Amino acid sequence: MSQLRSTLDFLVYDWLQGEGLTARTRYADHSRETFDAVLDTCERIAREKYAPFNRTVDTEEPRFDGEKVILPQCTYDARRAYAEAGMLAAGKDAEWGGMQLPYLVEAAANSFFACASVSMGSNLLTSANANLLLVHGTPLQKQVFAVNELEGNWAGTMALSEPQAGSSLSDISTRALPDGDGFESDPLGARYRLKGNKMWISAGDHELTENIVHLVLAKIPGPDGKLIPGVKGISLFIVPKKLVDAQGQLTGERNDVALAGLNHKLGWRGTTNTLLNFGEGKYPVRGDGGGGLDGQGAGAIGYLVGQPHEGLKCMFHMMNEARIGIGMAATMLGLAGYYASLDYARNRPQGRPVGEAGKDATRPQVRIIEHTDVKRMLLAQKAYGEGALALNLYCARLVDDGRTGTPEVAARAKLLLEVLTPICKSWPSEFCLEANSLAIQIHGGYGYTRDFPVEQYWRDNRLNMIHEGTHGIQAADLLGRKVRMQDGAGLQLLAATINATIERALQVPQLAGYANQLAQALQDVGAATKAAWATANPQEALANAVPYMQAFGHTVLAWMWLDVALVVLARDAALSAPAHAGQMGAARYFFHYELPRIGAWLQVVRQRDMTCAELPEDAF
Amino acid sequence: MSQLRSTLDFLVYDWLQGEGLTARTRYADHSRETFDAVLDTCERIAREKYAPFNRTVDTEEPRFDGEKVILPQCTYDARRAYAEAGMLAAGKDAEWGGMQLPYLVEAAANSFFACASVSMGSNLLTSANANLLLVHGTPLQKQVFAVNELEGNWAGTMALSEPQAGSSLSDISTRALPDGDGFESDPLGARYRLKGNKMWISAGDHELTENIVHLVLAKIPGPDGKLIPGVKGISLFIVPKKLVDAQGQLTGERNDVALAGLNHKLGWRGTTNTLLNFGEGKYPVRGDGGGGLDGQGAGAIGYLVGQPHEGLKCMFHMMNEARIGIGMAATMLGLAGYYASLDYARNRPQGRPVGEAGKDATRPQVRIIEHTDVKRMLLAQKAYGEGALALNLYCARLVDDGRTGTPEVAARAKLLLEVLTPICKSWPSEFCLEANSLAIQIHGGYGYTRDFPVEQYWRDNRLNMIHEGTHGIQAADLLGRKVRMQDGAGLQLLAATINATIERALQVPQLAGYANQLAQALQDVGAATKAAWATANPQEALANAVPYMQAFGHTVLAWMWLDVALVVLARDAALSAPAHAGQMGAARYFFHYELPRIGAWLQVVRQRDMTCAELPEDAF
């Protein structure tokens, strides 16, 4: 983890000028020392409570004994240490017991846990859940639900998907009916009864906390009793696993939320993943201490958050945070594999160098890091992992600027973040998965045994291209919405920001060639964007949205590396010569080996290639 | 499997003119009917005895109770059915009980098993082991060991790797000492005593058969008692698990071959993978019915195959077959994932079309195969999987031509096969793994649960880039040896063969553009080959051997698709319109989406890019 720490220090302080955030009112009580103290604490907890148990949570996957979900003890210990460190409330207002830490520092601190054992904690979900409530909840909802989450007493989930709907949220069929006449006057919020099934709910049931706060999307039927089709009919509800009173005390009664099954996954096994039944009658709610029950209203009790029919808007607030979190998780798995394979390559003797020197079999074998192809696989991982980390931290810094910058800075940051979020989520999930495959490859046969950690990283990482919006959904969001919104203002802003880096790099002899290469790439992406939409036909424009996103992502990552390289060269190289050489090597690798790949991706976008779209179904 | 069958029929009969092989003396007893009968039988056994148990062999992975390896019953049943069908001897001489089936048909028939459950059988290993003995063994070795393997009584392994040596065979340290004075006169072959450890031995121990025939590489010390460094000192030995007499009867005595451990793998779990100790004294051999034991010679008893110090040459015979077998296994996993995800996409409703038509949420959801991005992921899988199958069968046909063609045809086939073997092994293992990842992606969240088969295909396939020579080793073999041998004769022959396809395609208006694209790619590969070796410095030339192999492979696959397309267009399209459209669609996909990727790969080769090679170790 010491290598991760020095990479974080460079990116957070040297590159993103994180210490400068302390000049802002919100962060005025902080200093480099308090930031470092948080990083130190998280690094220590991750090393002591997470890393040693990463294989344990894989082999002892969650199981259901019919009544309770069984998790290994280490998960309890890790969660307690995390909560006690105050990390659940790290970024929250002091008013709610938070540290008011910049999101940049919070994200950097959380990266240690993802690197040590990505699936062990579902803390980010709890934190994001509370965050949503702090923005959209009533004062009492904040006090009862959010604060109990932030203090570590309760955990949180987000319950969107349903078995028949998957990513298609307009097709959810969980319904919410007003709970009797006085339903609107419940102090915890307008009270409804929910019935429906929710699939893929992470941390949907467990005994880690005394209660679980589900944030559930459901539809309130119209006057005709029918559900409103489409996403407009969706509302958001707090559905606690156990019922609570207005003081936040458990009433002792269980809400009608039942675990219908655990999903048994390929990876990411430390986190329970569930199918939940709401209001199926397994735990009938007989009284709720509130308005009159009419017997017809059976179902799980839920409290409306925000306005009816505006649930998706509230939820998106949480989903965007979750998407950045997934990008970071994918990144840290990539780096975990890099560190593991680097360690292996430095210690494993095998084979001899290519050429004359290697022909003498009486000479001892060399360590495999001396083989160029192993170096190539290491450098690719470094370029992917550290590049993705730079992007994720850059986006985290944008979150801070959006919250605390001057109005102009904030508006710019929010717009840029809108455009970058699909990349921030998708790029690490694709290329840090590739990095994990390279980590396996470096280990040879040992890499696919369970005696080494890399096969688990690879399995864990495979989820990230799927959950919180698949690759296809991110790509459609990017090309269908983000680069077009406000007449392309987001794309223009991104281009201007990248161009600023290019302008600076053109002044540096070592980087001028890369600056020109990036300028060309940016122009190619812009031209492909225009060409895709030239016929204004979404079916043609979006037919190659994923290749578009891949090319877009590689261009963004090349920008990251060029920008990082500028700062690396500006430092006193003598101070950290090896790290300096490594970062410049990774930047070089990215421009030599990776950026040229965009040509093939953009070609089909530019030509609005309909090869796939037009193939009839029976031809497959 | 019916889709696989029609694809095989097209490739074997229409494209590769397999029926024409019956004109050759060796195959004169065969006809399309006998070929079809074998395919029918294998398809049926695979469907009945393999496919239903693919998950079973994954979840009930082999375990060792201290005495015996425990495997699920289905593995016994599958093996028996396979052996009883005569498939272990499918390609062997009638003299040895074989069917004298062309390798092309044998490979096609075996593809059903790999598609149904790739790791359940280790039959190819037994068959290849026997094959080696039929070429290099003494008459009695053939009679005793090979025939018992072909009849299904015994199984075979290849034992090359050692824990400290891995792929570096020159560093193996298993030693073989003459077993007493009369060691040379043992009827089963010159008798030695072996001591050493062998790692990664597939099917290294089990109770599926009454005996196991290990083919073991070991070094006979020189007169000074020291092992000869390098690969020249390596000899090959038959080391049976249980000792046998010259009639092939078990003597009742165990040889000193002990299971030291099972490797617990990420995938491919149906096949036991072992660490074996030879001659450690766990099963001391007290008498062997042969020459005098001197007490000093303790160790596992092994019989020399071929000449001393020429073991690697014999073994390479087996390894090349194994490499084609791995390519085929990777291919069939790719196709298995394609079929599974195609089935899912045809039945899973979710979402609505892009554009106006999709905005009406009152309309029912469509099946996901109607989404272009899903079609893209299906077509990529089809292009990878069916393309790889074409390549593997093409190589299988080359094996037949090498064995039974006229001298010119045979020489040409052998040379071409030499060049294509690294591609045949590496390309499917990389791109059909990618196909499996796409199959997961199509399933969304379900794809990473163990309720669907695709996550297992992906795990199973990850081994194929490693075993039987890693990607790096294949690439060094291709660029370091195969394209340079005989002054580049192999590469020239391949180019001439590809050019013949290009010439024909130039005459077909629909394909002329692709023909030109392929001609350019071929020229680029040739130029990159020259540029790589321009300084005659292997360290520079081979620094980017893997990207070279990727580009080379994509060029070969584009050739396959162009050649297939020629035959597709020559058929009466009306006879099988959907299949026709599908093959043309996959060809189109390959030229539009895949072949353009070679630009980025070849650039670093051409420039002899030393970015990775020159990065100092401490910079990582």
Side-chain angles (χ1 to χ4, degrees):
Chain A
M1 296 242 183
S2 66
Q3 184 164 2
L4 172 58
R5 178 59 186 271
S6 54
T7 301
L8 286 172
D9 282 346
F10 169 77
L11 292 173
V12 169
Y13 297 122
D14 295 337
W15 182 54
L16 293 172
Q17 301 292 322
E19 202 175 345
L21 288 168
T22 58
R24 295 189 184 160
T25 314
R26 181 176 177 83
Y27 311 126
D29 285 348
H30 281 290
S31 63
R32 165 109 191 211
E33 284 65 40
T34 64
F35 293 167
D36 280 348
V38 171
L39 295 175
D40 289 344
T41 301
C42 289
E43 183 178 356
R44 180 182 51 75
I45 296 173
R47 189 176 58 239
E48 293 174 359
K49 302 288 184 184
Y50 282 68
F53 306 103
N54 191 43
R55 183 59 78 171
T56 304
V57 299
D58 184 59
T59 52
E60 298 179 24
E61 77 182 321
R63 61 194 173 78
F64 183 49
D65 70 359
E67 195 176 336
K68 288 188 163 73
V69 173
I70 317 288
L71 293 170
Q73 180 59 37
C74 59
T75 303
Y76 289 80
D77 299 340
R79 189 193 144 76
R80 186 174 313 113
Y82 186 91
E84 285 175 359
M87 285 305 294
L88 286 163
K92 308 301 187 294
D93 295 358
E95 174 188 4
W96 305 108
M99 285 191 235
Q100 295 198 179
L101 208 59
Y103 188 63
L104 172 62
V105 180
E106 183 181 358
N110 276 318
S111 74
F112 289 109
F113 304 104
C115 187
S117 184
V118 75
S119 72
M120 197 187 242
S122 49
N123 301 313
L124 295 187
L125 211 47
T126 297
S127 179
N129 178 307
N131 216 19
L132 183 151
L133 292 175
L134 291 180
V135 175
H136 298 286
T138 65
L140 193 64
Q141 286 174 340
K142 295 180 194 184
Q143 194 58 53
V144 167
F145 297 105
V147 170
N148 266 309
E149 290 186 85
L150 296 177
E151 291 179 349
N153 306 319
W154 302 349
T157 76
M158 50 198 288
L160 290 75
S161 293
E162 299 182 5
Q164 82 293 346
S167 305
S168 182
L169 291 178
S170 60
D171 293 288
I172 64 168
S173 63
T174 296
R175 50 170 70 214
L177 293 175
D179 188 18
D181 287 342
F183 80 98
E184 284 183 299
S185 56
D186 195 294
L188 289 172
R191 199 179 62 248
Y192 287 75
R193 292 296 191 122
L194 277 72
K195 284 191 166 199
N197 316 109
K198 291 290 178 180
M199 185 61 163
W200 310 121
I201 311 309
S202 285
D205 202 8
H206 55 72
E207 305 293 323
L208 292 167
T209 49
E210 62 174 21
N211 204 0
I212 299 174
V213 180
H214 302 291
L215 283 174
V216 182
L217 292 183
K219 291 187 173 182
I220 303 170
D224 59 354
K226 288 187 182 163
L227 298 185
I228 302 169
V231 294
K232 294 202 177 64
I234 297 176
S235 305
L236 178 64
F237 301 87
I238 295 168
V239 183
K241 174 180 173 181
K242 296 175 185 169
L243 294 174
V244 300
D245 64 22
Q247 285 71 48
Q249 299 299 310
L250 301 189
T251 64
E253 197 179 12
R254 177 97 188 229
N255 200 359
D256 195 6
V257 182
L259 178 65
L262 295 179
N263 290 308
H264 294 287
K265 294 168 296 178
L266 156 70
W268 206 280
R269 290 185 180 150
T271 302
T272 318
N273 189 280
T274 61
L275 171 60
L276 296 179
N277 288 348
F278 290 84
E280 64 161 5
K282 180 161 182 189
Y283 303 103
V285 182
R286 276 167 296 178
D288 55 14
L293 267 175
D294 62 4
Q296 303 281 318
I301 288 178
Y303 306 100
L304 184 69
V305 179
Q307 296 303 309
H309 311 310
E310 296 195 357
L312 206 57
K313 213 160 58 183
C314 300
M315 194 56 116
F316 261 109
H317 183 271
M318 185 170 172
M319 273 168 60
N320 279 332
E321 250 186 79
R323 284 176 179 176
I324 297 176
I326 294 301
M328 188 61 113
T331 298
M332 298 321 297
L333 283 166
L335 282 172
Y338 170 57
Y339 300 141
S341 60
L342 178 57
D343 183 60
Y344 185 81
R346 281 186 169 140
N347 290 292
R348 166 77 179 176
Q350 193 178 304
R352 288 175 188 77
V354 158
E356 287 308 311
K359 289 187 179 158
D360 180 0
T362 62
R363 291 170 47 157
Q365 300 191 76
V366 300
R367 292 160 313 122
I368 63 171
I369 198 173
E370 299 181 50
H371 299 312
T372 297
D373 195 52
V374 172
K375 284 187 167 182
R376 181 186 62 81
M377 294 190 280
L378 288 170
L379 193 52
Q381 291 179 69
K382 184 180 174 77
Y384 291 151
E386 293 185 4
L389 182 59
L391 174 61
N392 277 277
L393 292 174
Y394 184 88
C395 288
R397 166 83 210 215
L398 291 179
V399 171
D400 289 323
D401 286 342
R403 284 182 192 158
T404 61
T406 60
E408 300 93 292
V409 166
R412 179 187 166 283
K414 283 178 187 169
L415 185 58
L416 203 49
L417 188 59
E418 284 283 308
V419 180
L420 287 175
T421 297
I423 301 300
C424 186
K425 193 270 180 187
S426 71
W427 198 90
S429 72
E430 178 171 358
F431 293 96
C432 291
L433 176 68
E434 177 60 26
N436 288 149
S437 186
L438 294 172
I440 293 175
Q441 194 68 23
I442 287 173
H443 282 72
Y446 293 100
Y448 60 71
T449 68
R450 302 202 293 276
D451 300 328
F452 286 81
V454 287
E455 64 87 24
Q456 184 185 344
Y457 297 144
W458 185 65
R459 287 187 288 108
D460 285 347
N461 220 347
R462 186 60 189 82
L463 276 65
N464 291 317
M465 278 173 75
I466 295 175
H467 56 184
E468 309 305 345
T470 64
H471 233 48
I473 285 174
Q474 303 299 329
D477 180 44
L478 179 68
L479 182 54
R481 212 168 71 80
K482 296 297 177 63
V483 301
R484 303 182 79 212
M485 62 185 187
Q486 302 172 35
D487 287 327
L491 185 57
Q492 285 155 26
L493 173 60
L494 176 64
T497 312
I498 294 178
N499 273 323
T501 301
I502 292 172
E503 288 303 322
R504 285 187 294 137
L506 283 170
Q507 312 306 317
V508 181
Q510 260 183 285
L511 300 179
Y514 299 146
N516 283 319
Q517 199 186 335
L518 179 58
Q520 183 62 52
L522 188 59
Q523 196 175 318
D524 292 347
V525 168
T529 313
K530 280 208 187 72
W533 285 104
T535 56
N537 178 344
Q539 287 179 321
E540 291 182 1
L542 300 178
N544 296 291
V546 167
Y548 175 82
M549 181 170 71
Q550 292 169 314
F552 197 107
H554 258 52
T555 303
V556 166
L557 266 287
W559 163 46
M560 288 290 117
W561 274 115
L562 189 62
D563 208 75
V564 164
L566 275 167
V567 174
V568 168
L569 289 178
R571 277 192 306 178
D572 182 353
L575 285 179
S576 61
H580 179 284
Q583 287 168 310
M584 293 307 293
R588 207 154 48 236
Y589 172 87
F590 205 87
F591 277 90
H592 291 208
Y593 288 74
E594 296 293 332
L595 189 56
R597 296 172 68 178
I598 69 171
W601 287 321
L602 289 179
Q603 179 179 306
V604 290
V605 179
R606 211 167 41 234
Q607 299 178 342
R608 296 186 299 281
D609 195 307
M610 297 295 277
T611 300
C612 305
E614 288 173 353
L615 197 69
E617 182 181 332
D618 62 0
F620 283 97
Chain B
M1 295 242 182
S2 66
Q3 184 165 2
L4 172 58
R5 178 59 185 273
S6 54
T7 301
L8 287 171
D9 282 347
F10 169 77
L11 292 173
V12 169
Y13 297 123
D14 295 336
W15 182 55
L16 294 171
Q17 301 293 320
E19 202 174 346
L21 288 167
T22 59
R24 296 189 183 160
T25 315
R26 180 176 177 83
Y27 312 125
D29 285 348
H30 282 288
S31 63
R32 165 107 190 210
E33 284 65 38
T34 63
F35 292 168
D36 281 347
V38 172
L39 294 176
D40 290 344
T41 302
C42 290
E43 183 178 356
R44 180 180 52 74
I45 296 173
R47 191 177 55 240
E48 293 174 357
K49 302 289 184 184
Y50 282 68
F53 307 103
N54 191 43
R55 184 59 79 172
T56 305
V57 299
D58 184 60
T59 51
E60 299 180 21
E61 76 181 323
R63 60 194 173 82
F64 183 50
D65 71 359
E67 196 178 336
K68 289 186 162 76
V69 172
I70 317 287
L71 292 171
Q73 182 59 38
C74 59
T75 303
Y76 289 80
D77 299 341
R79 188 194 144 77
R80 185 175 313 113
Y82 186 92
E84 284 175 359
M87 285 303 294
L88 286 163
K92 308 299 186 298
D93 295 357
E95 174 189 2
W96 304 109
M99 286 193 234
Q100 295 199 176
L101 208 59
Y103 188 63
L104 172 62
V105 180
E106 183 182 358
N110 277 318
S111 74
F112 289 109
F113 304 105
C115 188
S117 184
V118 75
S119 72
M120 197 188 243
S122 49
N123 301 313
L124 295 187
L125 210 48
T126 297
S127 179
N129 177 308
N131 215 20
L132 183 150
L133 292 174
L134 292 179
V135 175
H136 298 287
T138 65
L140 193 64
Q141 286 174 340
K142 296 180 192 182
Q143 196 56 54
V144 168
F145 298 105
V147 170
N148 267 308
E149 291 186 85
L150 296 177
E151 292 179 349
N153 306 319
W154 302 351
T157 75
M158 50 197 289
L160 289 75
S161 294
E162 299 183 5
Q164 82 293 345
S167 305
S168 181
L169 291 177
S170 60
D171 292 288
I172 65 168
S173 64
T174 297
R175 51 169 68 215
L177 295 174
D179 188 19
D181 287 342
F183 80 98
E184 283 183 298
S185 55
D186 195 294
L188 289 172
R191 198 179 62 249
Y192 287 75
R193 292 296 191 122
L194 277 73
K195 286 191 165 197
N197 316 109
K198 291 290 178 180
M199 185 60 164
W200 309 121
I201 310 310
S202 285
D205 202 8
H206 55 72
E207 306 294 322
L208 293 167
T209 50
E210 62 174 21
N211 204 0
I212 299 174
V213 180
H214 303 291
L215 283 174
V216 181
L217 292 183
K219 291 186 173 182
I220 304 171
D224 60 355
K226 288 187 181 161
L227 298 185
I228 302 169
V231 295
K232 293 200 176 67
I234 297 176
S235 303
L236 178 64
F237 300 88
I238 296 168
V239 182
K241 173 181 172 180
K242 296 175 185 169
L243 294 174
V244 301
D245 64 22
Q247 285 72 47
Q249 300 298 310
L250 301 189
T251 63
E253 196 179 12
R254 176 97 190 229
N255 200 359
D256 194 6
V257 182
L259 178 65
L262 296 179
N263 290 310
H264 294 287
K265 294 169 295 178
L266 157 71
W268 206 280
R269 290 186 181 151
T271 302
T272 317
N273 189 280
T274 61
L275 171 60
L276 296 179
N277 289 346
F278 291 83
E280 63 160 8
K282 178 160 181 189
Y283 303 102
V285 182
R286 276 166 297 176
D288 56 13
L293 265 175
D294 60 4
Q296 303 282 318
I301 288 178
Y303 305 101
L304 184 70
V305 180
Q307 296 303 308
H309 312 310
E310 296 195 357
L312 206 57
K313 212 160 60 184
C314 301
M315 194 56 114
F316 261 109
H317 185 271
M318 185 170 174
M319 273 169 59
N320 278 332
E321 252 185 78
R323 284 176 179 175
I324 297 177
I326 295 301
M328 188 61 113
T331 299
M332 299 321 297
L333 283 166
L335 282 171
Y338 170 56
Y339 300 141
S341 60
L342 178 57
D343 183 60
Y344 185 81
R346 280 185 171 142
N347 291 291
R348 166 77 180 177
Q350 193 177 303
R352 288 174 186 77
V354 157
E356 287 309 313
K359 289 188 180 159
D360 180 359
T362 63
R363 291 169 49 156
Q365 300 191 76
V366 300
R367 293 160 313 121
I368 63 171
I369 197 171
E370 298 181 52
H371 299 312
T372 297
D373 194 53
V374 171
K375 284 187 167 182
R376 180 186 63 82
M377 293 190 281
L378 288 170
L379 194 51
Q381 289 179 70
K382 184 180 174 78
Y384 291 151
E386 293 185 4
L389 183 59
L391 173 62
N392 277 277
L393 293 174
Y394 184 88
C395 288
R397 166 85 209 211
L398 291 179
V399 170
D400 289 323
D401 284 344
R403 284 181 191 158
T404 62
T406 61
E408 301 92 289
V409 165
R412 179 188 165 283
K414 284 177 185 170
L415 185 58
L416 204 48
L417 188 58
E418 285 281 309
V419 180
L420 287 175
T421 297
I423 300 300
C424 186
K425 192 272 179 185
S426 71
W427 198 90
S429 71
E430 178 170 358
F431 293 97
C432 292
L433 176 66
E434 178 59 27
N436 289 150
S437 186
L438 293 172
I440 292 176
Q441 194 68 23
I442 287 173
H443 282 73
Y446 294 101
Y448 60 70
T449 68
R450 302 201 294 274
D451 300 328
F452 286 80
V454 287
E455 64 87 23
Q456 185 184 344
Y457 297 143
W458 185 66
R459 286 188 288 108
D460 285 349
N461 220 346
R462 186 61 189 82
L463 276 66
N464 290 318
M465 278 173 76
I466 295 176
H467 56 183
E468 309 307 343
T470 63
H471 233 48
I473 286 173
Q474 303 299 329
D477 181 44
L478 178 68
L479 182 53
R481 211 169 72 81
K482 295 298 176 63
V483 300
R484 303 182 79 211
M485 63 185 185
Q486 301 171 36
D487 287 328
L491 184 57
Q492 285 156 25
L493 174 59
L494 176 64
T497 312
I498 294 178
N499 272 322
T501 300
I502 290 172
E503 288 302 323
R504 285 186 294 137
L506 282 171
Q507 312 305 317
V508 181
Q510 259 183 284
L511 300 178
Y514 300 146
N516 282 320
Q517 199 187 335
L518 179 58
Q520 183 61 51
L522 188 59
Q523 197 175 317
D524 293 347
V525 168
T529 314
K530 279 206 188 72
W533 285 104
T535 55
N537 178 344
Q539 287 179 320
E540 291 182 1
L542 300 177
N544 296 291
V546 167
Y548 175 83
M549 180 170 72
Q550 291 169 315
F552 197 106
H554 258 53
T555 303
V556 166
L557 266 287
W559 163 46
M560 288 290 117
W561 274 116
L562 188 63
D563 208 75
V564 164
L566 276 166
V567 174
V568 168
L569 289 178
R571 278 193 307 179
D572 182 352
L575 285 179
S576 60
H580 180 284
Q583 287 168 310
M584 293 308 293
R588 208 155 45 236
Y589 171 86
F590 206 88
F591 277 91
H592 291 209
Y593 287 75
E594 295 292 332
L595 189 55
R597 296 172 67 179
I598 69 170
W601 287 321
L602 290 179
Q603 179 178 308
V604 291
V605 179
R606 211 168 41 235
Q607 298 178 342
R608 296 186 299 282
D609 195 306
M610 297 295 276
T611 299
C612 305
E614 289 174 351
L615 197 68
E617 182 182 330
D618 62 0
F620 283 97

